[in-house]
Every structure is written in structure tokens, then in C-alpha cells.
Amino acid sequence: MSAIAAHFSYWVTLFLMIAGLYIIIARGNLMKKLIGLAVFQTSVYLLYIAPGKLVGGTAPIVAEGFATYSNPLPHVLILTAIVVGVATLALGLAITVRIREAYGSIEEDEILERDRADER
Amino acid sequence: MAVTVVAMVLQRNLFSVVVLFSIYSFLMATVLVALDAVDVAMTEAAVGAGVSTVLLLGALHLTGGTEAKRLERPLLPLVLSIAVGAVLAYGSLGLPGFSDPLAPIHTHVAPRYLNEGPRETGVPNIVSAVLASYRGYDTLGETVVVFTAGAGVIALLRRRRNKK
Amino acid sequence: MKDDIILRVVAKLLMPFMLLFALYVQFHADFGPGGGFQAGVIAAAAIVFYALIFGLRAGLRLVAEWVVEKMLAAGVLVFAGVGLAGLLLGGNYLDYFVLGADPVSGQHRGIFWVEVGVLLTVAGVMLKLFYMFAGRARDAGDE
Amino acid sequence: MLEHLPALQVVLPLVAAPLIVLARSTRFAWLATTAVSYACLVIAALLASRVASGGAFSYALGSWEPPWGIEYRVDALSAFVLVAVSLTASFVAPYARRSIAAELEPDRQYLMYAMYCLCLAGLLGITITGDAFNLFVFLEISSLASYVLIALGRRRQALFAAYQYMLMGTVGATFYVIGVGLLYLVTGTLNLADLADRLRGVEDLRPVLTALAFITVGIGLKLALFPLHQWLPNAYAYAPSMATAFLAATATKVSVYVLLRFYFTVFDPAALFERLPTRETFLALSVAAMIVASLVAVFEEDVKRLFAWSSVGQIGYITLGIGLENQPALTGSIAHLLNHGVTKGAIFLLLGGVALRSGAVSMTVGSLAGLGRRMPLTAFGLVIAGLSLVGVPGTAGFVTKWYLIVGAIERGAWWVVVAILLSSLIAVAYVWRIVEVAYLRAGQGARLEAPVGMLAAGLAMAGLCVYFGFFTSINVAGASDAASFLLRGPQ
């Protein structure tokens, strides 16, 4: 039981990851897929940050009166990851908007159908 | 948080999904504060709940609201995602437990930042110090990623004046 | 929303504070949470807020599109320039130690300018994204 | 200044991009891009010669010594890939001027150049870095830039191809981050050399094996490892000509490099290859790619997509070396990074010229009828590169296959030898389709070659296919150094 409790943060990560991945694969709507992608990316945040926490520690801003700090390195990495995530999202949305203008739809199967019609 | 995610999976009105995503981001930010990651929490709140939501709504306005119903074979993706999750679960069992001060991440590399950082860089916020100095090159890369996205969106969405 | 007097007044009042807060987040990053990225987002949010209430055209009058485009390029150049400066002064790329009289002041200067670079690019890109999506929406509405 | 070359290698194209956006001039953009591409080639060559004479060396960014700061590390393998990437870039850049002018609206052209510079910077950054997370950041720079490059294609299919690539690419990159995160949690470091060092002290291997799986799948998505290749054919088929040529010749190759780097210098190959069926998996997947993808190419109607499928197959040759894991096979694999880059680069550059002159948005095999008469030089170049694809002696492709076969025999894997020969036969079939249509079938149209700059770049690359077939001092010597470096394992 204690092993499960000690790994609780990993289970949360796991759940978010599965949900995000599921949306990406199962859903046909391009916007929804992008949101799934964003959830999938956020799952990684916890994977990095949670183990950096030390109970009794404080945020890694050095000040008088504190001796234990949580690990700053994961924070830095995840800051970068968040920024990369939003950059990807912006680009993905731009492409989606263009797809909508070009095809008149953002449903995967309808787009594929129109592509097939083009080929003929 | 789990509830909002499940709702996001099920909800077909994209507008609601975006709102749920925004709530989810706020919850995530709260969790991050609890984990002492104040810088990250601030960014997640600004980006997840702020920028992403605005972008999503903006794009939604251009692409239209609801998702067509299509869930013919929901089983395969579910199995696939759970399989990936299972692999990660297997790996995470061997990881050090929560808040274990002897875990490698607390004993290697990081102590130098915490102990020497303020003296070497003169910045007490270690996150800032690591971000801008020790791993400043990553931040340069990150800025370039943002720049790439910006320039890319310009390239994709620039209005074509001469065509009309 | 353009005609709501309360919104207009509140927006006018809030704008300077939002920008001020962005600056605070930017320059207080040494001691508290924050930094160029967060400040950039907040600054852009202030302008976006203004544009939402007074209309896209008013926003564009405040910060023109070409300014934004220059901003996003300039930010990267400032950042990369700090790196090159370190190189020219005899250090490695992105070496801040050589930027000041003693290593710590050099670090300070380096971090300061790097954060300025991040601020410029991020604020520029965020605003540009807003203009792009909003501009598309306006065009789509015109047709 | 010479000791700063590792930083300049990446920073030059990185800085060129914002300058281009600032200037907003197509002419300046082209000049800057070309200058930067040539400068990168010179720098890469200098770095390679320094490695050859003095061994691997590292460069501490920000003067923070690793593992606290980020380190650039140049060794036999990364120097080889740097040369391969910037060599392609130096051919694509001069070619780009006419090609981009023909395929994009004037006010987007400069952005296309900016994206190209960013993509180049990203790829070089991935190659040279010695830090696992920095690698991710540069991976994203190159990926975002390449999504835009593809989306700027002329047909609307390009948008959807870019979207799919973006989705799979981002999932891949996130998988990679998860893998790196697990490694970080068990070692506390992100520096690759340090990781290798500290991984040996890790007792519980479960997270390490999981990390291995995530990194393999993540990078496998990016390098189009069979069966994770679905994004590739459409992305290559609908991207602008210059983007196809550049990405086909470099992007997947750099991803393979990442895989090689992790497999041989970070993880302990001895433990890895024994504990998991890695060798068998890679052999099976590679052989499947070589045969299945090549077969699809035989029946493909769209010319660009035909060669894209062929790329999926050729990637199989490269990953074969990981499965065979011995000196000759790895030499063949690594040499193929360059050989195939040159070959595919030549093909797509020349096809870009054909597309420009025909003016059509899509190119079917049938539309190449009479190409031998209409564009004799272009057709000749295509034949040369096609021969290299098949692996005819005297071309670059032959060199690869020779070493791979030697490696397979050494390992006693006769069925792999058979597969290589079979796959070559299939390649003969699809290359012959093109040759037959181009030379034996009559077509209409006046005789008109591609613009000089484009033709010259394409032919020069085709010439390199022959050069590397006869003079192996660059490709094989470099690859063999890199292979022995890899086989020495984590230092």
C-alpha cells in the first residue's frame, strides 16, 4: 500500500497521459485532437515536477530561515516544455484554421474523403 | 482534475471542452503551487488558462463549434493508450518514492545550483538563475521555438491582398 | 462591447497597471517568481484586453502590426547578441562572466538582457498571434 | 575564434532567421540563407578535421562546466552527421531561389527562408548537443519549422499532411521527453556523457528499460521507423520541392543519429542487447520496411510519393546497422546517412525542376513521358541517382549495401543478405518505371531544361552519388571512425 501511495504522483501522470493519448487517437475532430495533445503534454509536467518536491521544503528562492528547497532544475525544464507546448498549439491551430478554409471541415474522415475525391 | 479530463473526453461541444481545458489548467497550476513550483505554476496559469484558451477560442470562432459524432471503434485507441500507460507504470515502479531526499535528482547536479547559485550568479531565485544562466542556452532555444511558431503562423495566416 | 462605458473606463484604468505589473514581473524575477516569459504574456494580455474592448483597429493603432513583427525578431537577436557579446569579450558563447567588471555583475547584466530578449519575443509573438487570428475572423466576417 | 566553432555552427543559422524576418526582403533572405549554409559547411568540415586529428572535444556554453551547464560535444559520429546535413544545405540553398519564387507568393517567400534557416539550426543543434533536454528543444525548433515548410505546399493536401506530421511529431517529442524524464529521475543528470556514467550505477533497471522504450518509439516516430512512418509519404509528396529535398535528405537522418547516440553511447549496449530482443526487433522492422515500403513504391502513381515510400524503405537500411551491431554493418548504416541523403536530395531537387517546367501541381509517373527528350540533363541526373538508389556498383548506394552485406554475413544472418538483395530488386522495379516512361514513351512539350541554378544543384548532387561511389575517403572513412567510436560503448 505504501508503495502505491509513494507513487501517487506517477499514477496521476499516467491517467492524464492515457486520457490525452486517447483523445488524440480516437477523436476525428482536429480541434479536439489538439486539445488532447495539450493534455498529453501537461501530463509530463507532473512527471518532472512532483519528484522534485521535498516535504518541508519551500520554493527554490533562497532566503534567510529556510534550509530545504525543492529541486529547481525540473521547474526550469518544465517552463521550457510549457512554452514549447503553447508554441506547438498555436501552430497547430493556425494549420487547422487553414484546413477549415481549404476543406470547409475539420473532421478527419470528411477531409480524407475529399482528398480521395481529388485523386479521382 | 481527473473529472475535468474525463469530461473533456466525453464532451462533444468544443466550446465546453475549451472551457474545461481552461479549468483544468487552473487546477494544474494549483497543484504546481502545492509542489513548490511557483514559477511553473504562474506560467501554466498564464499560458494554459490564458493564452491557450484565447487561442483556442479564436480558432474555434474560425472553425465552428461541435464535433461530429464518430466513435465507431473506440476500443483500439483505448487499448493502445492503456498499453502505453502500462509501460510507463512498469517503469515508474522502479522510481524513487515521493519526497525522498536521497533520490538521485536531489543529490546530483541540483545541490550545486542551490548552494552555489546565489553566490555565483547573484540571483536568489534559483529558477531564474538556472533558466537564464546555467541553462541559458535552453532558454535561447525556447525563445527561438516561440519565434518559430510566431513566424510560422504569420506565414500560414497572412492575408493575401493581391489574390482578391 | 465597444459601447459599454464601464468597460471602457475600466479598461483605460487597468491598462497601465497591467503593463506595470508586467514590468514588475520582469524585473523582480531575481527575487520572486517571474521572468521574461511571464512578463511578455502579461504585457501582451494588456494590449489584447484593450483591443478586445476598443476593437482590433484601436489595438492596431496602439501597437502596429509591423512593430510587433520587428519585436519578435528583435528579441531573439538581443538574446543571441548577448551570447555573441560574451564571445567577443573573450569568453564562451553565452558567457556572462566577462560582461561586467567582476563575474557576479557580469552575470547580472547577462541575465538582465537575456530576459529582455525573451520579453520582446514572447510579447511580440503573443500579440501577433492574437492579431492574426482576430484579423482572420474579421476578414471572414467581411466576406 | 576557432575554438568557438561549435557554438557558431548552430548560432549562425539561428541568427540568420530573425535577421531575415527583420529585413523582409526576399533577396536578402536568399543571400543570407546561402551564405549561412556555406559557412555551416565550412565550419562542419573544420570541426570534422579537428576530430579526425585530435579526437572528440567539448564546448561549455555559458562557460558552465557540464553537467551543470549545457555542453556541446563533437565526436566522430556527430562531426560526420554535421557534415552530411550542412552538405545538403549548401546544395539546397542556391537551388531555393528559383524554386521558392515559382511556388510561393512574394510576401511569404522570406518567411520560407527563415523557416529553412531555423530548421537547419535545429538539426545542427540536435546533432552537436551533449545534453538530453537541449536536444529536445532543438528537436522542437526543427520540427516546428518543418511543419511550416510542409504546410506551405501549394495543394490543400499539404495542410493536412502537415497537421498529421505535427500530431505524430509532437507525440514523438513528448515520448522522448518522458523517456528523458525517467532517466533524469534515476540519475539526476541530463548531460548525455554523465547519464551514461551514472546509468551504470543504477540497480533497478525497470525505469531505464521503460525510458529506452519511450525514447525508441518517440524518435522512431520522427525518423519514420516502420511501422511509425504513416506521416512521411504525404508530407514529402505535398511539401514545396525545396522543402522535400532538404527534409528528405536530412531530417530523418538526424533522428536516426539520435537513436544511435542513445543506443550506443548512453545506454549500455551489452546489457541492452541481451536483456531485450532489441537486435531481433530492429532486424525485423528494418527488413519489413525495406521490402514492404519498396513494394508500395512500385505501385505508386505520384512520383514524389513514390520516392517518399522509397525513403521509408531506405531508412530500413540505416536501422539495419543497429540490429546487426558490428563494425561493417554500422559503417554501412552511418555511411548511408550521407549516401542516401545525397541520393534522395538529388532526386527531389531534379524533380523540383521538372515540376517547375511542367507547371502542374502534382506529378504522376505518366506525366514524365518524354522527359529524356524534353529535359535530357535532368533525366540523366535522375537515372544516376536512381542507380545509386538501387545500389549499382560505382554509386554511393552500392558502398552502403556492400558494408551491410558484409556485416550481415559476419553476424551469420543470411536471411538479411537475401532481404537486402530482394529489396534492391524491388528498387530496380520502381526506378525502371521512371526510366521507361522518361526515355521510351513519347511525350509532348518543347525541349526546355530547368533554370541553371536548380539544374546545377541537382546535377552536382547526382555527381556526388558517383563520387562517393568511387572515392570513399569522406563517407566510408568518416562512417567507419564513427562506427568504431560507437562500438566502444559508453566511455
Side-chain angles (χ1 to χ4, degrees):
Chain A
M1 194 59 209
S2 70
I4 294 177
H7 288 83
F8 178 70
S9 63
Y10 300 128
W11 299 113
V12 178
T13 308
L14 219 62
F15 175 75
L16 295 178
M17 201 188 85
I18 294 174
L21 210 54
Y22 176 74
I23 298 182
I24 298 173
I25 305 174
R27 291 318 180 109
N29 184 291
L30 302 190
M31 285 287 280
K32 183 108 178 209
K33 274 173 187 274
L34 283 179
I35 296 174
L37 197 64
V39 173
F40 180 53
Q41 286 179 315
T42 48
S43 75
V44 184
Y45 304 169
L46 284 180
L47 177 75
Y48 272 73
I49 301 234
K53 162 82 178 170
L54 284 177
V55 173
T58 180
I61 300 171
V62 174
E64 297 281 321
F66 295 106
T68 351
Y69 300 100
S70 289
N71 194 336
L73 186 53
H75 300 183
V76 175
L77 303 179
I78 292 312
L79 275 177
T80 308
I82 293 181
V83 175
V84 169
V86 74
T88 313
L89 179 69
L91 205 58
L93 288 173
I95 296 179
T96 312
V97 167
R98 283 287 304 275
I99 289 179
R100 159 81 196 186
E101 286 173 1
Y103 288 89
S105 163
I106 51 167
E107 295 292 334
E108 198 173 27
D109 42 357
E110 287 175 28
I111 292 169
L112 289 174
E113 214 165 277
R114 267 160 236 200
D115 272 355
R116 246 171 272 133
D118 270 13
E119 298 283 308
R120 258 178 250 133
Chain B
M1 209 149 74
V3 176
T4 50
V5 172
V6 171
M8 268 155 72
V9 176
L10 297 178
Q11 182 61 249
R12 290 221 328 279
N13 182 326
L14 288 173
F15 183 76
S16 322
V17 176
V18 173
V19 173
L20 283 168
F21 179 72
S22 180
I23 297 172
Y24 164 80
S25 298
F26 263 123
L27 290 172
M28 179 64 103
T30 320
V31 172
L32 291 172
V33 172
L35 291 170
D36 291 345
V38 276
D39 279 270
V40 184
M42 189 170 171
T43 315
E44 172 66 11
V47 167
V51 177
S52 302
T53 310
V54 169
L55 286 178
L56 282 166
L57 287 177
L60 211 55
H61 180 68
L62 292 171
T63 55
T66 42
E67 173 185 12
K69 194 179 177 94
R70 199 182 68 101
L71 267 177
E72 291 123 25
R73 289 171 293 122
L75 209 59
L76 181 70
L78 194 64
V79 170
L80 201 63
S81 334
I82 290 180
V84 174
V87 175
L88 189 60
Y90 168 76
S92 74
L93 285 176
L95 291 176
F98 184 66
S99 185
D100 176 0
L102 295 178
I105 53 167
H106 294 299
T107 54
H108 188 56
V109 179
R112 151 106 183 243
Y113 296 142
L114 287 167
N115 299 330
E116 310 290 324
R119 191 178 56 75
E120 285 181 330
T121 63
V123 175
N125 181 354
I126 310 293
V127 174
S128 288
V130 177
L131 185 84
S133 189
Y134 291 99
R135 296 186 68 88
Y137 196 68
D138 262 357
T139 311
L140 174 61
E142 166 197 326
T143 313
V144 175
V145 169
V146 174
F147 168 77
T148 310
V153 173
I154 298 177
L156 288 170
L157 293 188
R158 165 160 288 156
R159 293 181 292 278
R160 273 158 288 177
R161 293 175 197 87
N162 38 5
K163 265 206 166 174
K164 282 177 190 167
Chain C
M1 278 192 285
K2 276 183 206 167
D3 309 319
D4 192 325
I5 182 90
I6 298 175
L7 272 180
R8 293 178 77 103
V9 171
V10 169
K12 279 247 156 96
L13 277 176
L14 270 181
M15 257 278 287
F17 288 106
M18 284 177 84
L19 288 175
L20 205 64
F21 182 60
L23 288 180
Y24 170 79
V25 169
Q26 167 84 20
F27 297 117
H28 199 63
D30 288 5
F31 309 102
F37 185 79
Q38 294 90 332
V41 173
I42 295 172
I47 312 281
V48 168
F49 180 54
Y50 183 85
L52 277 177
I53 291 180
F54 292 96
L56 187 58
R57 213 156 282 159
L60 284 172
R61 260 203 305 281
L62 198 66
V63 186
E65 209 149 340
W66 66 269
V67 177
V68 177
E69 230 174 282
K70 301 282 182 240
M71 260 168 78
L72 61 120
V76 176
L77 285 179
V78 168
F79 201 140
V82 173
L84 289 175
L87 216 130
L88 291 178
L89 290 172
N92 274 1
Y93 190 77
L94 278 181
D95 189 334
Y96 308 149
F97 292 115
V98 292
L99 293 179
D102 59 290
V104 173
S105 78
Q107 284 287 332
H108 251 293
R109 196 171 292 176
I111 293 176
F112 175 83
W113 283 107
V114 161
E115 296 275 15
V116 170
V118 176
L119 170 87
L120 279 177
T121 296
V122 171
V125 169
M126 293 303 155
L127 256 185
K128 188 76 200 175
L129 290 178
F130 173 73
Y131 283 165
M132 277 302 182
F133 282 98
R136 276 264 155 173
R138 191 184 57 187
D139 286 4
D142 286 348
E143 277 159 32
Chain D
M1 217 55 191
L2 275 178
E3 73 266 32
H4 297 303
L5 286 179
L8 289 176
Q9 174 88 79
V10 179
V11 170
L12 280 183
L14 207 65
V15 170
L19 282 178
I20 289 171
V21 172
L22 217 51
R24 297 194 67 160
S25 137
T26 306
R27 201 182 161 71
F28 171 79
W30 178 70
L31 283 174
T33 306
T34 313
V36 161
S37 303
Y38 284 134
C40 280
L41 180 60
V42 172
I43 294 174
L46 286 173
L47 288 175
S49 74
R50 185 168 158 197
V51 170
S53 60
F57 59 97
S58 102
Y59 181 87
L61 288 151
S63 298
W64 294 110
E65 70 271 38
W68 293 279
I70 291 168
E71 166 195 40
Y72 266 5
R73 201 161 171 76
V74 189
D75 50 41
L77 179 62
S78 56
F80 183 79
V81 179
L82 288 176
V83 171
V85 170
S86 41
L87 186 70
T88 313
S90 65
F91 284 102
V92 173
Y95 172 92
R97 194 169 65 91
R98 287 300 298 269
S99 171
I100 289 184
E103 292 182 13
L104 280 168
E105 302 101 15
D107 62 344
R108 279 180 212 227
Q109 290 176 8
Y110 76 99
L111 287 165
M112 176 95 181
Y113 285 106
M115 286 300 141
Y116 165 81
C117 282
L118 288 168
C119 193
L120 176 63
L123 293 173
L124 293 172
I126 296 172
T127 313
I128 201 171
T129 191
D131 188 279
F133 200 80
N134 192 245
L135 197 154
F136 162 71
V137 174
F138 278 84
L139 182 72
E140 282 294 334
I141 295 179
S142 72
S143 308
L144 288 185
S146 54
Y147 307 148
V148 178
L149 284 177
I150 292 168
L152 286 174
R154 281 192 292 178
R155 303 174 69 187
R156 65 179 184 181
Q157 279 89 338
L159 291 168
F160 193 56
Y163 181 90
Q164 281 179 318
Y165 180 27
M166 192 208 72
L167 216 55
M168 296 189 96
T170 311
V171 170
T174 311
F175 268 42
Y176 172 79
V177 176
I178 293 175
V180 169
L182 290 169
L183 291 181
Y184 171 65
L185 291 179
V186 294
T187 61
T189 185
L190 290 163
N191 182 282
L192 291 175
D194 199 26
L195 259 178
D197 226 20
R198 294 179 60 90
L199 272 178
R200 258 175 289 181
V202 173
E203 278 140 28
D204 192 340
L205 277 179
R206 283 176 299 182
V208 181
L209 292 178
T210 310
L212 172 74
F214 271 92
I215 291 175
T216 306
V217 175
I219 299 296
L221 274 166
K222 303 254 22 151
L223 71 83
L225 179 69
F226 192 86
L228 304 171
H229 63 271
Q230 284 94 341
W231 58 268
L232 188 140
N234 280 339
Y236 282 9
Y238 300 119
S241 316
M242 158 265 196
T244 309
F246 183 65
L247 293 175
T250 57
T252 48
K253 313 294 176 296
V254 169
S255 302
V256 177
Y257 158 83
V258 175
L259 211 56
L260 286 171
R261 169 128 301 217
F262 267 92
Y263 269 48
F264 290 96
T265 72
V266 176
F267 296 110
D268 190 1
L272 199 80
F273 287 126
E274 267 149 42
R275 198 170 287 267
L276 288 176
T278 329
R279 202 178 280 147
E280 293 74 12
T281 314
F282 266 97
L283 284 183
L285 291 182
S286 307
V287 168
M290 281 153 51
I291 304 219
V292 176
S294 306
L295 272 178
V296 175
V298 174
F299 298 102
E300 182 59 55
E301 271 309 308
D302 185 285
V303 182
K304 273 174 95 179
R305 199 168 323 134
L306 183 152
F307 284 112
W309 276 110
S310 135
S311 272
V312 177
Q314 297 279 327
I315 290 164
Y317 288 117
I318 303 178
T319 48
L320 206 54
I322 299 179
L324 291 171
E325 203 221 342
N326 56 22
Q327 174 77 27
L330 271 176
T331 305
S333 279
I334 296 167
H336 205 47
L337 293 177
L338 179 61
N339 293 345
H340 180 240
V342 171
T343 309
K344 265 299 147 55
I347 288 178
F348 282 120
L349 287 180
L350 291 168
L351 284 178
V354 178
L356 179 79
R357 283 303 182 220
S358 77
V361 281
S362 73
M363 225 188 317
T364 56
V365 174
S367 75
L368 294 183
L371 193 74
R373 193 179 50 76
R374 258 183 305 151
M375 307 173 85
L377 289 173
T378 305
F380 177 68
L382 277 176
V383 171
I384 298 282
L387 291 178
S388 174
L389 214 50
V390 174
V392 174
T395 60
F398 173 73
V399 177
T400 309
K401 287 184 185 171
W402 176 259
Y403 279 94
L404 282 176
I405 289 177
V406 171
I409 294 174
E410 206 170 279
R411 178 68 62 201
W414 289 100
W415 62 283
V416 174
V417 178
V418 174
I420 293 174
L421 294 176
L422 184 62
S423 158
S424 303
L425 278 180
I426 304 175
V428 172
Y430 63 71
V431 170
W432 174 249
R433 271 182 79 197
I434 304 284
V435 174
E436 187 215 46
V437 170
Y439 282 98
L440 301 182
R441 210 176 294 169
Q444 304 131 4
R447 187 180 159 150
L448 183 61
E449 274 295 348
V452 180
M454 293 171 71
L455 183 65
L459 285 181
M461 271 197 124
L464 278 183
C465 298
V466 180
Y467 178 84
F468 285 144
F470 283 106
F471 304 96
T472 53
S473 64
I474 297 180
N475 54 351
V476 172
S480 139
D481 280 354
S484 39
F485 163 76
L486 285 182
L487 287 172
R488 253 178 283 141
Q491 271 85 28

